[in-house]
């Protein structure tokens, strides 16, 4: 029997031993724990979007293309590759801002404060 199953059984045994007059309180407690677990899951999903970044090899390629753009030495193929990266990163940045807004609402904090906190941690490219 795994630990998860054992914990479920322990919870059932504890609930069975509770006096009837405390069941409403126990239900409220369990609902609160359930909401907290759901919120944590939502936060993890949003943080995944917020901290998403290109793999290292693609980050290096992106930097190389940016340098070539600045030096005005991009070939047509490289320019198309640069535009593909630009479109992807722009899309991710829009999603990132939306995810920060959702996370701020979930945590009930100001967007600006959360944005500042997360950008000081270094959001991905």
């Amino acid at each position: 029997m795994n630990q998860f199953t054992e914990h479920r059984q322990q919870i059932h045994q504890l609930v069975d031993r509770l006096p009837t007059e405390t069941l409403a309180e126990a239900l409220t407690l369990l609902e609160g724990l359930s909401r907290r677990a759901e919120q944590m899951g939502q936060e993890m999903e949003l943080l995944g979007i917020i901290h998403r970044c290109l793999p290292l090899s693609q980050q290096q390629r992106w930097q190389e293309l940016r340098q070539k753009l600045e030096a005005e030495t991009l070939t047509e193929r490289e320019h198309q590759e640069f535009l593909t990266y630009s479109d992807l990163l722009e899309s991710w940045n829009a999603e990132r801002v939306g995810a920060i807004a959702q996370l701020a609402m979930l945590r009930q904090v100001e967007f600006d404060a959360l944005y500042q906190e997360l950008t000081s941690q270094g959001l991905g490219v």
Side-chain angles (χ1 to χ4, degrees):
M1 183 180 306
N2 66 30
Q3 190 175 15
F4 178 76
T5 304
E6 289 177 17
H7 286 161
R8 281 189 170 277
Q9 286 180 345
Q10 287 175 335
I11 290 169
H12 284 284
Q13 290 169 357
L14 290 170
V15 169
D16 287 342
R17 288 189 285 183
L18 287 176
T20 304
E21 56 274 2
T22 63
L23 289 177
E25 185 179 341
L27 181 60
T28 300
L29 176 64
L30 289 171
E31 287 172 338
L33 290 171
S34 178
R35 279 191 302 277
R36 192 168 99 206
E38 183 179 325
Q39 180 176 338
M40 288 173 61
Q42 290 172 341
E43 286 189 17
M44 293 302 295
E45 184 178 323
L46 292 170
L47 288 169
I49 293 169
I50 291 166
H51 292 294
R52 175 176 48 197
C53 62
L54 293 172
L56 184 57
S57 63
Q58 290 181 353
Q59 287 179 31
Q60 291 168 341
R61 180 63 176 157
W62 167 246
Q63 291 298 333
E64 179 184 320
L65 292 170
R66 286 183 58 202
Q67 289 171 353
K68 284 185 163 195
L69 177 68
E70 291 172 10
E72 298 180 5
T73 59
L74 279 178
T75 66
E76 182 57 36
R77 186 188 62 75
E78 289 172 329
H79 186 257
Q80 290 305 314
E81 185 180 2
F82 176 81
L83 291 176
T84 299
Y85 278 119
S86 295
D87 289 346
L88 174 65
L89 294 173
E90 184 178 328
S91 172
W92 282 5
N93 283 332
E95 290 177 28
R96 182 175 289 123
V97 170
I100 293 171
Q102 288 179 332
L103 186 59
M105 288 187 334
L106 199 58
R107 291 182 177 177
Q108 298 178 346
V109 297
E110 292 292 324
F111 173 87
D112 292 339
L114 183 59
Y115 183 85
Q116 189 67 28
E117 174 187 333
L118 292 170
T119 54
S120 70
Q121 295 174 3
L123 299 176
V125 171

